[in-house]
Amino acid sequence: MLKNKTTVRKPAFSKTVIIDSPLYVAIDVAKYYHKAMIFDWDKNIIEPPFTFDISKEGFGRLIEKITINGKRYKTESVVIGMEATGHYHETLVEHLRAKGFKVLLFNPYATFKTRALDIDYVKTDEIDLKAIGQAMILGKGREAKDEETVYKELKLLTRFRRAKNNARRILKNQMLRDLDRLWPGMMKESHNPKGLFSNLWQSKIARALLKLDLLPQQIASMPPKELLAMFKKQGTKCVGIKWTEKIITHALQVLYCEGVEAEIHKHVLQTNLSLLEGMDTLIENLDRKISILVYKTPGTYLLSIQGISFIRVGEFIGEIGNPYKYHEPGEWVKLAGLNASRYQSGKVDRQSNPITKVGNSYLRGTLFSIARDISRWEPFFIALKDKFCGKGKHIQVAYGAVANKFLRIAFYLMLRKQNFNPDYEKEKEKMRQNNN
């Protein structure tokens, strides 16, 4: 581990000769205050842990410490390392790179395993700094680099869309809960064929009925022509007299929610309906922007695979960035944490282990979503999924194999700028099996 200079002997070399030896700066990032420590290649602590805040003044203090110690050791070579902690590190990285510093980012799991090397499972800021420093010496980090604007936009927009889509799903579940109290049995399902609507969110008539802000007991007492007139008044043209009769007949069979509770559920339902319409509009606008950006990238070649949408392609490209900066598909596999772990001890060499899951969780989630989609529509990937399921593998293992195969195919599709050819992939797979 890193050593305090007060407890170890001084380096054998002279300070005037350390021109090519860089200074290392480990930073433990937090929301309001960061901690940093400066050390050298021999793991001697040059500047003990100090705190600086997220303001310009705090950033200036960090730069001052780095500058003073750089002059003291006569070196301009400085390497800065920190954990990729949510979004808290991004502003700091941006300003450090603007100053010309090399910045390394570490997966928090990597620093956790570095702490474990000392059989020390205590977590403090100082211990974290030493773990980051140890990981820097071991060369575990990846250098932070600027992405082209189109990839930055895709990453931000697709992550924002994913968050809003999740919020919309939660909102829909809340609306269904209120609807089950106000109008039980409205949804048509396999065990409830008497329902009115099979898809509440896609049906224009269902949306129009909710906007009327009426309880089923109120609708049950209305003549069909009056209900039809209310639909026409709000601008709904897809409802005829037969539909109004069907709605009234269903309302007569409902076991009603009465009193104050019914009014509260109705108010909550109308409020959530307004929110849902706003979210629908927002997500539609995001979809348009994402589709335009996707067509500015090599990701368009991936759309030749059946079952994959431009939204999934946008999420994928946004997370990996420019595909041409990578040298082989294995880098994508590792970036997503889809590489299999390995255990070897003595004569035991177990390679069929679970995936590491050490990597970009957004990318990994996107890949599993893509795997589910393409293994439902693209025959080549359907056969691959069935092959693993036929061996008794869990469906998630099969999806992991499909995601891994997709990554390798996607890499070469974009590299060669060609569309997906399932016959070519089948021939290549046969050749690989014959060689084995």
Side-chain angles (χ1 to χ4, degrees):
M1 283 299 291
L2 300 174
K3 304 167 284 188
N4 276 311
K5 294 195 76 172
T6 55
T7 59
V8 297
R9 63 182 180 81
K10 294 182 179 179
F13 46 77
S14 169
K15 293 178 183 177
T16 58
V17 186
I18 317 177
I19 296 177
D20 295 325
S21 180
L23 293 181
Y24 292 89
V25 184
I27 300 178
D28 186 35
V29 177
K31 187 172 184 178
Y32 298 114
Y33 294 93
H34 311 311
K35 273 198 172 181
M37 177 180 67
I38 303 176
F39 57 97
D40 62 15
W41 177 256
D42 288 331
K43 305 178 186 179
N44 297 309
I45 296 176
I46 295 170
E47 187 72 45
F50 61 93
T51 302
F52 63 99
D53 61 32
I54 60 174
S55 66
K56 288 183 179 179
E57 182 181 351
F59 182 73
R61 183 165 187 252
L62 172 66
I63 298 301
E64 182 183 10
K65 293 276 188 182
I66 293 173
T67 304
I68 290 172
N69 284 287
K71 290 179 178 178
R72 179 183 170 194
Y73 282 83
K74 299 188 182 301
T75 179
E76 294 181 357
S77 179
V78 177
V79 180
I80 300 173
M82 67 186 77
E83 287 182 341
T85 311
H87 58 275
Y88 297 131
H89 68 286
E90 293 176 355
T91 302
L92 184 59
V93 169
E94 181 182 336
H95 285 274
L96 286 170
R97 294 195 74 253
K99 290 283 186 181
F101 292 111
K102 179 180 179 180
V103 181
L104 300 178
L105 297 177
F106 297 88
N107 189 299
Y109 186 76
T111 54
F112 165 75
K113 298 303 285 186
T114 305
R115 285 199 306 271
L117 291 174
D118 289 337
I119 318 179
D120 188 355
Y121 295 95
V122 178
K123 185 184 186 304
T124 66
D125 290 343
E126 284 74 16
I127 291 175
D128 281 348
L129 284 172
K130 291 181 179 180
I132 293 169
Q134 186 77 357
M136 291 174 72
I137 297 295
L138 294 173
K140 295 290 184 182
R142 60 181 176 85
E143 186 175 355
K145 294 182 178 180
D146 283 336
E147 286 286 0
E148 295 173 37
T149 304
V150 64
Y151 299 106
K152 277 186 180 180
E153 286 187 63
L154 272 175
K155 182 177 180 178
L156 292 172
L157 289 177
T158 53
R159 286 191 177 187
F160 180 59
R161 183 194 181 278
R162 187 187 293 115
K164 292 305 163 190
N165 199 41
N166 290 338
R168 181 171 65 172
R169 186 172 61 250
I170 293 170
L171 190 61
K172 286 179 178 180
N173 289 334
Q174 291 174 349
M175 291 177 68
L176 287 174
R177 181 194 63 195
D178 291 310
L179 199 58
D180 285 341
R181 288 289 287 116
L182 291 173
W183 197 315
M186 177 185 276
M187 298 300 298
K188 185 187 292 184
E189 299 175 16
S190 57
H191 50 273
N192 181 35
K194 295 180 180 179
L196 284 173
F197 309 106
S198 57
N199 192 325
L200 183 66
W201 316 116
Q202 299 295 327
S203 170
K204 293 181 180 179
I205 299 175
R207 288 284 186 106
L209 180 58
L210 294 180
K211 286 181 182 179
L212 290 179
D213 195 17
L214 294 173
L215 295 171
Q217 52 265 45
Q218 294 172 308
I219 292 175
S221 62
M222 298 171 63
K225 288 186 178 180
E226 184 182 349
L227 181 58
L228 181 60
M230 294 186 72
F231 275 118
K232 298 296 183 186
K233 187 177 179 180
Q234 73 172 10
T236 306
K237 299 179 180 179
C238 55
V239 182
I241 193 68
K242 288 186 178 180
W243 253 109
T244 56
E245 290 174 351
K246 186 177 179 180
I247 291 169
I248 291 171
T249 302
H250 193 276
L252 287 167
Q253 305 300 320
V254 172
L255 192 62
Y256 305 130
C257 176
E258 304 280 2
V260 177
E261 187 175 355
E263 291 298 327
I264 293 172
H265 281 295
K266 188 176 73 164
H267 172 71
V268 172
L269 183 63
Q270 289 302 311
T271 303
N272 282 338
L273 181 60
S274 298
L275 290 173
L276 179 62
E277 290 181 338
M279 279 193 175
D280 286 342
T281 302
L282 172 62
I283 291 174
E284 285 175 9
N285 291 334
L286 287 171
D287 288 350
R288 281 193 289 271
K289 291 179 181 179
I290 290 169
S291 65
I292 292 170
L293 290 172
V294 164
Y295 284 105
K296 294 180 180 179
T297 72
T300 51
Y301 296 105
L302 305 184
L303 294 171
S304 59
I305 301 174
Q306 293 185 61
I308 189 169
S309 67
F310 67 88
I311 292 297
R312 294 298 184 210
V313 171
E315 290 175 338
F316 173 64
I317 293 293
E319 295 302 330
I320 65 168
N322 188 341
Y324 299 130
K325 70 181 180 181
Y326 299 93
H327 300 95
E328 58 171 349
E331 294 179 65
W332 289 358
V333 175
K334 191 172 181 180
L335 180 64
L338 289 178
N339 50 315
S341 55
R342 182 180 178 183
Y343 176 83
Q344 191 276 327
S345 179
K347 294 183 178 181
V348 178
D349 189 0
R350 190 169 65 241
Q351 299 184 31
S352 300
N353 294 308
I355 59 175
T356 61
K357 295 186 181 179
V358 179
N360 186 327
S361 59
Y362 290 105
L363 176 59
R364 188 164 58 253
T366 297
L367 286 169
F368 271 89
S369 296
I370 290 173
R372 282 191 290 271
D373 293 340
I374 61 179
S375 61
R376 189 179 300 136
W377 297 103
E378 178 58 62
F380 176 81
F381 291 104
I382 292 173
L384 182 60
K385 182 198 73 174
D386 292 344
K387 175 184 174 182
F388 278 84
C389 291
K391 293 179 180 179
K393 299 291 185 182
H394 192 277
I395 188 64
Q396 288 299 109
V397 175
Y399 286 145
V402 171
N404 207 308
K405 188 69 174 178
F406 166 78
L407 277 177
R408 299 176 188 282
I409 289 175
F411 180 86
Y412 289 108
L413 289 183
M414 290 189 282
L415 180 68
R416 296 166 182 165
K417 299 181 179 179
Q418 64 185 28
N419 291 328
F420 177 66
N421 183 352
D423 295 331
Y424 170 76
E425 296 299 334
K426 288 175 184 176
E427 287 297 322
K428 192 168 68 172
E429 187 69 18
K430 285 181 182 178
M431 290 177 62
R432 188 184 67 80
Q433 291 175 356
N434 292 334
N435 290 335
N436 291 339

Short mmCIF file of all heavy atoms in Angstrom, two decimals, residues 217-240:
data_model
loop_
_atom_site.label_atom_id
_atom_site.label_comp_id
_atom_site.label_asym_id
_atom_site.label_seq_id
_atom_site.Cartn_x
_atom_site.Cartn_y
_atom_site.Cartn_z
N GLN A 217 -71.06 4.88 -12.20
CA GLN A 217 -72.45 5.03 -11.79
C GLN A 217 -73.12 6.23 -12.47
O GLN A 217 -74.34 6.22 -12.71
CB GLN A 217 -72.58 5.12 -10.26
CG GLN A 217 -71.73 6.15 -9.58
CD GLN A 217 -70.42 5.57 -9.06
OE1 GLN A 217 -69.77 4.83 -9.79
NE2 GLN A 217 -70.07 5.90 -7.82
N GLN A 218 -72.31 7.27 -12.78
CA GLN A 218 -72.85 8.42 -13.50
C GLN A 218 -73.13 8.05 -14.96
O GLN A 218 -74.15 8.46 -15.53
CB GLN A 218 -71.87 9.59 -13.42
CG GLN A 218 -71.68 10.16 -12.03
CD GLN A 218 -70.56 11.18 -11.97
OE1 GLN A 218 -69.44 10.92 -12.42
NE2 GLN A 218 -70.85 12.36 -11.42
N ILE A 219 -72.23 7.29 -15.56
CA ILE A 219 -72.41 6.87 -16.95
C ILE A 219 -73.59 5.91 -17.09
O ILE A 219 -74.35 5.95 -18.07
CB ILE A 219 -71.11 6.21 -17.47
CG1 ILE A 219 -70.01 7.28 -17.59
CG2 ILE A 219 -71.32 5.53 -18.82
CD1 ILE A 219 -68.65 6.76 -17.97
N ALA A 220 -73.77 5.05 -16.09
CA ALA A 220 -74.84 4.04 -16.14
C ALA A 220 -76.23 4.68 -16.21
O ALA A 220 -77.17 4.09 -16.75
CB ALA A 220 -74.74 3.11 -14.94
N SER A 221 -76.35 5.89 -15.67
CA SER A 221 -77.66 6.55 -15.63
C SER A 221 -77.91 7.45 -16.84
O SER A 221 -78.93 8.13 -16.91
CB SER A 221 -77.78 7.39 -14.35
OG SER A 221 -76.79 8.41 -14.33
N MET A 222 -76.98 7.45 -17.80
CA MET A 222 -77.10 8.34 -18.96
C MET A 222 -77.64 7.59 -20.17
O MET A 222 -77.31 6.41 -20.38
CB MET A 222 -75.73 8.94 -19.32
CG MET A 222 -75.12 9.81 -18.23
SD MET A 222 -73.41 10.27 -18.59
CE MET A 222 -73.63 11.24 -20.07
N PRO A 223 -78.44 8.24 -21.00
CA PRO A 223 -78.85 7.64 -22.28
C PRO A 223 -77.67 7.66 -23.26
O PRO A 223 -76.80 8.53 -23.17
CB PRO A 223 -79.98 8.54 -22.76
CG PRO A 223 -79.79 9.83 -22.06
CD PRO A 223 -79.13 9.53 -20.75
N PRO A 224 -77.60 6.70 -24.18
CA PRO A 224 -76.46 6.61 -25.12
C PRO A 224 -76.22 7.90 -25.90
O PRO A 224 -75.06 8.29 -26.11
CB PRO A 224 -76.87 5.46 -26.06
CG PRO A 224 -77.80 4.63 -25.24
CD PRO A 224 -78.54 5.58 -24.36
N LYS A 225 -77.27 8.57 -26.33
CA LYS A 225 -77.08 9.79 -27.13
C LYS A 225 -76.43 10.91 -26.32
O LYS A 225 -75.65 11.71 -26.85
CB LYS A 225 -78.43 10.25 -27.69
CG LYS A 225 -78.96 9.35 -28.80
CD LYS A 225 -80.21 9.91 -29.42
CE LYS A 225 -80.71 9.03 -30.58
NZ LYS A 225 -81.94 9.57 -31.19
N GLU A 226 -76.75 10.99 -25.04
CA GLU A 226 -76.14 12.02 -24.18
C GLU A 226 -74.64 11.76 -24.01
O GLU A 226 -73.82 12.69 -24.06
CB GLU A 226 -76.84 12.05 -22.83
CG GLU A 226 -76.32 13.16 -21.91
CD GLU A 226 -76.99 13.16 -20.54
OE1 GLU A 226 -77.99 12.44 -20.36
OE2 GLU A 226 -76.49 13.88 -19.64
N LEU A 227 -74.30 10.48 -23.79
CA LEU A 227 -72.88 10.12 -23.65
C LEU A 227 -72.14 10.38 -24.97
O LEU A 227 -71.01 10.89 -24.97
CB LEU A 227 -72.76 8.65 -23.25
CG LEU A 227 -71.33 8.12 -23.04
CD1 LEU A 227 -70.60 8.92 -21.96
CD2 LEU A 227 -71.34 6.63 -22.69
N LEU A 228 -72.79 10.05 -26.10
CA LEU A 228 -72.18 10.30 -27.40
C LEU A 228 -71.93 11.79 -27.62
O LEU A 228 -70.88 12.19 -28.14
CB LEU A 228 -73.08 9.74 -28.50
CG LEU A 228 -72.57 9.89 -29.94
CD1 LEU A 228 -71.24 9.19 -30.13
CD2 LEU A 228 -73.60 9.38 -30.93
N ALA A 229 -72.88 12.60 -27.18
CA ALA A 229 -72.73 14.05 -27.33
C ALA A 229 -71.54 14.57 -26.52
O ALA A 229 -70.83 15.49 -26.96
CB ALA A 229 -74.02 14.75 -26.89
N MET A 230 -71.31 13.98 -25.35
CA MET A 230 -70.17 14.40 -24.53
C MET A 230 -68.84 14.02 -25.20
O MET A 230 -67.87 14.78 -25.14
CB MET A 230 -70.27 13.75 -23.14
CG MET A 230 -71.46 14.23 -22.31
SD MET A 230 -71.46 13.57 -20.63
CE MET A 230 -70.12 14.48 -19.90
N PHE A 231 -68.81 12.86 -25.84
CA PHE A 231 -67.61 12.47 -26.57
C PHE A 231 -67.36 13.44 -27.73
O PHE A 231 -66.22 13.87 -27.96
CB PHE A 231 -67.76 11.05 -27.13
CG PHE A 231 -67.40 9.96 -26.14
CD1 PHE A 231 -68.35 9.03 -25.74
CD2 PHE A 231 -66.12 9.86 -25.63
CE1 PHE A 231 -68.01 8.02 -24.84
CE2 PHE A 231 -65.78 8.86 -24.73
CZ PHE A 231 -66.72 7.94 -24.34
N LYS A 232 -68.41 13.78 -28.46
CA LYS A 232 -68.27 14.68 -29.60
C LYS A 232 -67.83 16.08 -29.15
O LYS A 232 -67.03 16.74 -29.83
CB LYS A 232 -69.60 14.79 -30.35
CG LYS A 232 -70.12 13.49 -30.94
CD LYS A 232 -69.20 12.93 -32.00
CE LYS A 232 -69.78 11.66 -32.62
NZ LYS A 232 -68.81 11.03 -33.57
N LYS A 233 -68.32 16.49 -27.99
CA LYS A 233 -67.98 17.83 -27.49
C LYS A 233 -66.50 17.97 -27.18
O LYS A 233 -65.91 19.04 -27.37
CB LYS A 233 -68.81 18.12 -26.23
CG LYS A 233 -68.69 19.53 -25.72
CD LYS A 233 -69.59 19.78 -24.52
CE LYS A 233 -69.44 21.20 -24.00
NZ LYS A 233 -70.31 21.46 -22.82
N GLN A 234 -65.88 16.90 -26.70
CA GLN A 234 -64.44 16.96 -26.40
C GLN A 234 -63.58 16.63 -27.63
O GLN A 234 -62.35 16.57 -27.53
CB GLN A 234 -64.09 16.03 -25.24
CG GLN A 234 -64.11 14.55 -25.58
CD GLN A 234 -63.56 13.70 -24.45
OE1 GLN A 234 -63.33 14.16 -23.35
NE2 GLN A 234 -63.34 12.43 -24.73
N GLY A 235 -64.24 16.42 -28.79
CA GLY A 235 -63.50 16.25 -30.04
C GLY A 235 -63.16 14.82 -30.40
O GLY A 235 -62.31 14.60 -31.27
N THR A 236 -63.79 13.84 -29.75
CA THR A 236 -63.52 12.43 -30.05
C THR A 236 -64.44 11.97 -31.17
O THR A 236 -65.66 11.91 -30.99
CB THR A 236 -63.73 11.56 -28.80
OG1 THR A 236 -62.95 12.07 -27.73
CG2 THR A 236 -63.32 10.12 -29.09
N LYS A 237 -63.86 11.64 -32.33
CA LYS A 237 -64.66 11.27 -33.50
C LYS A 237 -64.74 9.76 -33.72
O LYS A 237 -65.48 9.29 -34.58
CB LYS A 237 -64.08 11.93 -34.75
CG LYS A 237 -64.08 13.46 -34.69
CD LYS A 237 -63.48 14.05 -35.95
CE LYS A 237 -63.48 15.57 -35.87
NZ LYS A 237 -62.88 16.18 -37.08
N CYS A 238 -63.96 8.99 -32.95
CA CYS A 238 -63.90 7.55 -33.19
C CYS A 238 -64.96 6.77 -32.42
O CYS A 238 -64.99 5.54 -32.46
CB CYS A 238 -62.51 7.02 -32.83
SG CYS A 238 -62.00 7.41 -31.15
N VAL A 239 -65.85 7.45 -31.69
CA VAL A 239 -66.88 6.80 -30.89
C VAL A 239 -68.23 6.94 -31.59
O VAL A 239 -68.63 8.04 -31.97
CB VAL A 239 -66.96 7.40 -29.47
CG1 VAL A 239 -68.02 6.68 -28.65
CG2 VAL A 239 -65.62 7.32 -28.78
N GLY A 240 -68.93 5.79 -31.75
CA GLY A 240 -70.26 5.80 -32.33
C GLY A 240 -71.29 5.37 -31.31
O GLY A 240 -70.98 5.12 -30.14
#
